[in-house]
Amino acid sequence: MARKPETQCVHLDAERDTKLHYGAVSFPIYQTATFAHPGPGESTGYDYSRLQNPTRERLEEHMAQLEHGTDAFALTSGMAALDLLLRLFRPGDHIIMDADLYGGSIRLVDHVAKPYGLEVTSLDCSRENVEAHVQENTAAVYIETPTNPMMNVTDIAALAEMTRRSGLLFIVDNTFLSPYFQTPLDLGADIVLHSGTKFLGGHNDTVAGFLVTNKEDIAEQLRFLLKTVGTGLPPLDSWLILRGIKTLALRMERAEANAMEVAEWLSSRPEVTDVIYPGLPSHPGRPIMERQARGFGSIITFRTKTPEQGKGLLAGVQLIQFAESLGGVETLLTYPATQTHADVPAEVRERNGITDCTLRLSVGIENAEDLIADLKAAFDTLEDEHA
Ligand SMILES: *Cc1c(COP(=O)(O)O)cnc(C)c1O
């Protein structure tokens, strides 16, 4: 019987030889650059840590297990993962991408991929929309669901059916839900990308990225690229992410429960005009999420009536920190217009709905009442100042 996800976060399914690593319960950090060979033409299985390192390999096996893939690759950041992924394509290839993506992904595409010769069309990636924009040179479709930061939801299975028929690679950035809540390969995606910095690491202490696939030819190309380019995750960082993953299930459940409470409370505030959280019945993507995911996650995007209220909230919170990033145990409040999406052209930002009243809250695992009290105190201070 297949083990359940909570167990799979803690244990690798595959049997291990407990004599290896002296029976260490916590997988060792192999902090070594190179490996001695027993003799000419012989190898321990490891030669040089740019190519592979046991700690990184262990993490990759764990990620492949969680995402239901055959191969996973651990990289130095989510952006390193996207950069490696884009090396699968050639100048002249066309890629269709979601218009609302993580700001760094948009920057990489605009300033690195396009000058290299990739043709990119950004649009709202509904199946009909994508189908209407497929060209002769289209090679892939790249989406996030839910998107960062507008929480747009795409039907993964519907798009997968279309991309398979058209012979396109289908790539899903699964950062916002983690494999605990969503496994896109099961729904027909070919490659999953992650910022491991977020929920997988979970403690705002390590930067990492992943690519996971269930296609042998893609895995082979990625393995070659990774060892050649040299952006594999170092051993200590690999160990930190491995440790983070052990509590992934607990953290995802708690953060989501908190997010639901905070989203409902925000909806009741007169200073707040919109609360965009897929767990709320008002979210248009909720029915799709109920089909394709096992949870709604813990990222809430909301808008205040005025920019001053938004900025006042950022300045006024005490427990919650005003910082970029998401998916950690600490609750963070982000102002996408000047932080995560600062390098996205203003007109693109506006079109995507990222106004100067838009805030993104990554709800952590603290006590929900404490979080709400912190937000309330910041709003109340604002009111006093304007009274
Ligand atoms: C943060 C993030 C990335 C980038 O990952 P890094 O680890 O910061 O390089 C990519 N996609 C999404 C959805 C993200 O939130």
Side-chain angles (χ1 to χ4, degrees):
M1 193 182 73
R3 290 177 183 155
K4 304 287 187 290
E6 293 86 343
T7 309
Q8 289 189 320
C9 287
V10 183
H11 299 280
L12 208 53
D13 280 352
E15 277 303 321
R16 262 165 298 145
D17 182 349
T18 50
K19 287 206 276 305
L20 278 175
H21 318 294
Y22 306 100
V25 170
S26 163
F27 196 88
I29 304 165
Y30 280 90
Q31 190 65 47
T32 182
T34 191
F35 300 82
H37 303 299
E42 294 174 46
S43 168
T44 60
Y46 303 93
D47 303 307
Y48 188 62
S49 281
R50 168 154 45 74
L51 280 54
Q52 190 51 295
N53 173 285
T55 315
R56 190 179 100 209
E57 185 175 63
R58 172 72 174 197
L59 171 62
E60 291 174 345
E61 284 170 9
H62 219 120
M63 273 304 289
Q65 167 173 295
L66 292 178
E67 279 291 0
H68 304 163
T70 51
D71 293 87
F73 302 91
L75 295 107
T76 51
S77 70
M79 287 301 91
L82 178 56
D83 180 69
L84 199 82
L85 169 78
L86 290 173
R87 290 169 196 267
L88 291 175
F89 305 102
R90 293 283 159 263
D93 281 349
H94 174 236
I95 303 178
I96 296 175
M97 292 188 125
D98 224 314
D100 186 45
L101 291 179
Y102 169 67
S105 303
I106 297 176
R107 180 173 59 198
L108 199 155
V109 166
D110 282 350
H111 298 283
V112 179
K114 284 181 183 170
Y116 166 79
L118 290 187
E119 198 184 322
V120 178
T121 304
S122 299
L123 44 86
D124 164 26
C125 277
S126 66
R127 179 206 162 110
E128 301 70 38
N129 228 359
V130 171
E131 205 157 22
H133 287 82
V134 172
Q135 310 170 178
E136 211 173 302
N137 59 343
T138 305
V141 177
Y142 182 97
I143 68 161
E144 288 176 11
T145 179
T147 59
N148 182 355
M150 296 316 298
M151 309 303 291
N152 300 326
V153 173
T154 298
D155 186 331
I156 297 174
L159 204 49
E161 195 273 325
M162 186 247 121
T163 53
R164 196 180 321 116
R165 233 180 339 95
S166 310
L168 310 177
L169 265 188
F170 182 29
I171 304 141
V172 179
D173 180 337
N174 199 30
T175 300
F176 264 39
L177 290 180
S178 90
Y180 184 67
F181 278 153
Q182 182 169 273
T183 35
L185 297 180
D186 291 341
L187 301 163
D190 300 301
I191 304 174
V192 166
L193 180 143
H194 273 285
S195 168
T197 317
K198 315 293 170 57
F199 289 102
L200 293 163
H203 293 74
N204 288 317
D205 58 12
T206 314
V207 176
F210 292 97
L211 293 171
V212 190
T213 183
N214 52 11
K215 304 282 183 305
E216 206 177 311
D217 56 327
I218 294 169
E220 206 171 299
Q221 289 178 66
L222 290 174
R223 191 170 296 112
F224 174 81
L225 285 167
L226 186 53
K227 78 170 183 188
T228 304
V229 173
T231 40
L233 193 64
L236 175 59
D237 298 62
S238 296
W239 184 84
L240 283 164
I241 303 290
L242 263 175
R243 188 170 67 164
I245 286 175
K246 292 193 185 195
T247 55
L248 180 67
L250 283 174
R251 289 186 286 103
M252 294 305 293
E253 296 282 359
R254 174 58 176 265
E256 183 191 44
N258 281 351
M260 194 62 106
E261 279 190 53
V262 173
E264 279 167 2
W265 181 82
L266 282 171
S267 307
S268 74
R269 289 300 300 195
E271 300 89 345
V272 176
T273 58
D274 319 82
V275 179
I276 310 170
Y277 176 63
L280 291 176
S282 59
H283 194 286
R286 186 177 159 127
I288 298 175
M289 291 277 289
E290 282 175 335
R291 276 205 310 276
Q292 73 184 11
R294 294 173 289 273
F296 300 109
S298 48
I299 313 297
I300 303 168
T301 294
F302 64 100
R303 294 197 189 94
T304 52
K305 244 184 222 150
T306 68
E308 289 69 36
Q309 285 169 329
K311 287 177 188 155
L313 195 62
L314 290 170
V317 285
Q318 303 284 323
L319 175 66
I320 298 170
Q321 295 170 88
F322 170 28
E324 274 181 61
S325 204
L326 57 96
V329 293
E330 298 92 357
T331 297
L332 301 181
L333 191 56
T334 303
Y335 192 54
T338 64
Q339 290 185 300
T340 51
H341 291 68
D343 286 345
V344 175
E347 71 274 12
V348 175
R349 226 167 33 220
E350 291 283 330
R351 204 183 317 129
N352 290 351
I354 305 170
T355 65
D356 52 7
C357 294
T358 306
L359 297 170
R360 190 189 72 197
L361 187 67
S362 169
V363 181
I365 66 166
E366 302 96 332
N367 182 288
E369 279 176 37
D370 287 338
L371 296 174
I372 290 170
D374 193 42
L375 291 165
K376 183 174 185 307
F379 272 142
D380 289 349
T381 310
L382 263 175
E383 214 156 276
D384 291 346
E385 280 168 10
H386 292 276

